Amino acid sequence: MLFACVVLTAVWLLVHITAEGCGRGNAPASKPPHGAAEICDKGNMTINTSPHVQPGTNIILSCQLNRHTEQCRIAIFFNSFELINNYSSSVSTEFQVRAYGKHMFTCKIVCEHKRKLVCGIDVESGNPPEEPRNVSCIQYETDGHPTCTWDKGRLTYISTKYVLQLSNGTDVSCVSEESLNQRFGSLALSKLNFDSTYTLVVAASNELGSAFSQPLAFTLIDIVKPHPPNFSVEFDNSSTSSCSFIWHSDMRGRHCRLRYRPLTSHTWSMVESLTSEKCNLGGLEPHTTYEFQVSCKMHPERGLWSSWRGYRTQTPEAAPTGILDIWYRQQDLDSQRQNISVFWKALSASEARGRILGYTVTFEALGQRSPPAGEVHLTTQTSYARVTPREGYKVTVTAENSRGRSPPTSIITNLGTQDLPPPQQVSAVAAGNSSILVSWKAPASPSVPIGGYVVEWAEMQRDPRPAWVRLPASNLSTVITEHIKDNVCYQISVFALYRDRAGQAASVWGYSRAEGSGDWMAIVLTCSFFIFSACVCSVPPARKLLHSLLSAVMPQWQSKAIPDPANATWAKKYISVKAELSLSSSLFLPSVSSFEEPEITHVEEAFTKTGPPALGDKFFGTVGTGDGSPAGGVGQEEMGYGAVPSAADGDVSEQQLHDLYQRLVEVTEVTEVTEHTQPVSDYIANPVTSTAPTYPLVTEDQPEIECNLPSIFPTTFLTPIHSYEGNLTLDTVKINCSSFPR
């Protein structure tokens, strides 16, 4: 051990001595030890330090003219910015270097507005190199060339040289870096041999200092990285754990490792040493695609691993291990026959352990005394239906692949299930997102222990194949999601399992509705708003502030009072006219509260022969005689006779009628603007009742004048033409304007 340390120390000293020699052979020209100067034709410029400094260094800049001009100034500039000037032949100033990079200083003669360059000098600011780290070398395959890399460390900001010094104990070679990468170094070496031990040092140097990496000692076998191998994997059909590796390249003398995983997994299983072509891998699943990857190196304990190379293949099949989940439906066809439909669910991939080729269904009748001979049926479907005599059967189903059959699964279709009670209080509640929550209670006082439950559901139209789920006896609820669609009604049945038999069913209807979250969000927001409003309104200052905000936001018309229609001008005029009208009509119409018969005035009739009535004359009803005999009808085209009024009646009545109709005209002018369908009862009290007083028909012997009064009566006021006998009342005649005195 001591000898090895002495040898390594000697090699390190040899390399460093050699490195200094390599560095001197490529070192730049030496500079003045206590400053630098630039000599120009018109003068010179100097600094008191080396032109390469670190940030924070103070330097003194000086400029000296060869010939002085009294009218001009001499000045020193830094990147066109004037630092100092003087009316003499020389000038000097101190400057602190703060930033990295090149700094350009110039000396100029300034005459009025003109500047002339005298001389200039450059100063570079940077860092000395750090020690190179993470030095490594690699060679691909045995016939390549090694390449070495390292980390350069922090940036130097000035020109820095990197040299690889390689020694085999007797000879030393120096190779300069050609890469321009500022972070990482890389350099290719000449071909090496397997018999020598090499020592590598990376030397870095610039004008501010130098640094050396730690020596790296290696042999060629330590840095050779072989190419990944070409291979394939084959399995023995009799076992999934026995496999063979077939190499497609020369792997003699190489050490390899293996890792593998199913394609559905992210976890690798590792075999560290794969030294032969045969391997025995445990834990592989049948009929599963696996990925195998292999990596190799030159020596078991030394050298570099190759990259991983992969190969994918499927393991062979094995006999199924899963147990089928079966269910059935039984339907009576008549008194002697029944239809039994058996359903089962396909095995998962891990249970099938291969491709299922078909299913075997066996029916065994339970009513026979001798051992029953089962009827065997083959199918590739996951259901089977058969018409059988009406008796109980034991139905057994198995699945088969190329390597064997699954364990048998049986169910008994016994007709006598009355002694096997159903579950109680079955309910189905929509759970949203295409699901239904089904819950129930255990059967009451079962005579046989309960082995579990089966929940079956199908659409209302009675699907030919139901969906079902089998649950342990401890479960009294489940959420069904298989084949559930929103807003579709399903018949849901719950069965209790008693050993191998199913008891009576308890059925309900249920459906699932879509959840979207918007309705709930609206409800939550609405409730939150009302709760917040109630809290705010309970605090007087907050209520006052809220009222102020709402008053500022709402339109101005919202805060104004709604005008009262009773204060309108037309309404006041209407009330005034109505009052006058009521006063005038009271002279002719009796009080509504009076039950006395109206006074009857007999009309003296005189008949004169007149011509046909004018177009403007229309009679509503007929005029009767005093003794009740009809005098004639309106609408007769032949010559008619009109009644002559008696002169015994006074002029007072005529004047009152004239005033009344003038009031009616005034009221009409008002109501036409505002209301066209005002009932006439607002103006004349009870115009069509039989309690209206009678008035004589008044006419004058003068030409008839048509009075085009605006209509204020609704159409219901104008009654059809009827024949009236006896007394003549005001509501059955039309008074012509010509009867009024002018």
Side-chain angles (χ1 to χ4, degrees), residues 9 150 205 339 457 623 697:
T9 303
W150 64 93
S205 62
N339 181 70
W457 63 95
V623 178
L697 182 63

Side-chain angles (χ1 to χ4, degrees), residues 573-595:
K573 185 175 181 181
Y574 164 75
I575 294 173
S576 176
V577 172
K578 184 177 180 181
E580 295 179 4
L581 180 60
S582 300
L583 179 61
S584 300
S585 61
S586 63
L587 299 176
F588 304 98
L589 301 179
S591 174
V592 177
S593 60
S594 177
F595 292 93

Side-chain angles (χ1 to χ4, degrees), residues 167-429:
S167 172
N168 61 357
T170 57
D171 298 328
V172 177
S173 61
C174 299
V175 183
S176 299
E177 181 205 19
E178 298 177 356
S179 174
L180 299 179
N181 192 303
Q182 296 182 348
R183 294 290 186 183
F184 305 99
S186 177
L187 188 61
L189 304 178
S190 59
K191 189 174 180 61
L192 306 180
N193 59 68
F194 283 93
D195 300 329
S196 301
T197 300
Y198 297 91
T199 302
L200 178 68
V201 174
V202 179
S205 62
N206 59 22
E207 294 292 342
L208 297 177
S210 61
F212 300 90
S213 69
Q214 295 296 321
L216 173 66
F218 63 91
T219 62
L220 187 58
I221 199 172
D222 294 327
I223 65 172
V224 170
K225 182 176 182 178
H227 292 304
N230 292 322
F231 71 100
S232 61
V233 181
E234 294 183 356
F235 285 90
D236 187 358
N237 288 330
S238 61
S239 174
T240 59
S241 60
S242 178
C243 60
S244 300
F245 279 81
I246 302 176
W247 305 104
H248 300 286
S249 59
D250 186 12
M251 297 297 296
R252 288 177 297 179
R254 298 193 178 185
H255 176 76
C256 298
R257 59 182 178 176
L258 167 71
R259 66 180 184 181
Y260 59 95
R261 62 165 184 174
L263 287 184
T264 57
S265 174
H266 298 284
T267 304
W268 293 93
S269 299
M270 184 71 69
V271 178
E272 292 293 344
S273 179
L274 187 64
T275 57
S276 63
E277 294 183 353
K278 291 289 184 179
C279 66
N280 190 3
L281 303 178
L284 296 183
E285 295 292 336
H287 197 63
T288 304
T289 302
Y290 277 84
E291 181 179 10
F292 299 86
Q293 292 187 354
V294 175
S295 175
C296 300
K297 64 179 181 178
M298 300 296 298
H299 192 273
E301 299 178 357
R302 302 173 63 183
L304 302 176
W305 288 102
S306 69
S307 301
W308 292 99
R309 174 160 291 177
Y311 180 80
R312 294 181 179 180
T313 187
Q314 190 178 60
T315 56
E317 294 185 355
T321 59
I323 298 177
L324 293 171
D325 183 4
I326 67 174
W327 189 238
Y328 78 99
R329 274 183 175 176
Q330 184 267 342
Q331 181 182 9
D332 293 335
L333 301 180
D334 50 39
S335 61
Q336 301 295 327
R337 298 180 306 158
Q338 65 179 351
N339 181 70
I340 298 178
S341 299
V342 185
F343 312 95
W344 57 90
K345 297 180 181 180
L347 297 174
S348 64
S350 60
E351 295 173 334
R353 297 167 51 132
R355 186 172 66 88
I356 299 299
L357 302 177
Y359 300 91
T360 301
V361 184
T362 304
F363 284 81
E364 300 178 15
L366 300 178
Q368 301 178 1
R369 295 183 178 179
S370 59
E375 299 180 5
V376 179
H377 306 274
L378 301 178
T379 180
T380 58
Q381 307 299 320
T382 56
S383 63
Y384 187 80
R386 181 175 178 270
V387 177
T388 65
R390 289 194 59 188
E391 58 180 329
Y393 284 86
K394 178 181 180 180
V395 184
T396 304
V397 184
T398 59
E400 183 177 0
N401 64 10
S402 63
R403 304 301 297 273
R405 292 183 178 179
S406 66
T409 307
S410 301
I411 193 168
I412 295 178
T413 64
N414 197 344
L415 299 180
T417 60
Q418 283 72 17
D419 59 333
L420 305 178
Q424 303 181 90
Q425 300 181 18
V426 178
S427 63
V429 179

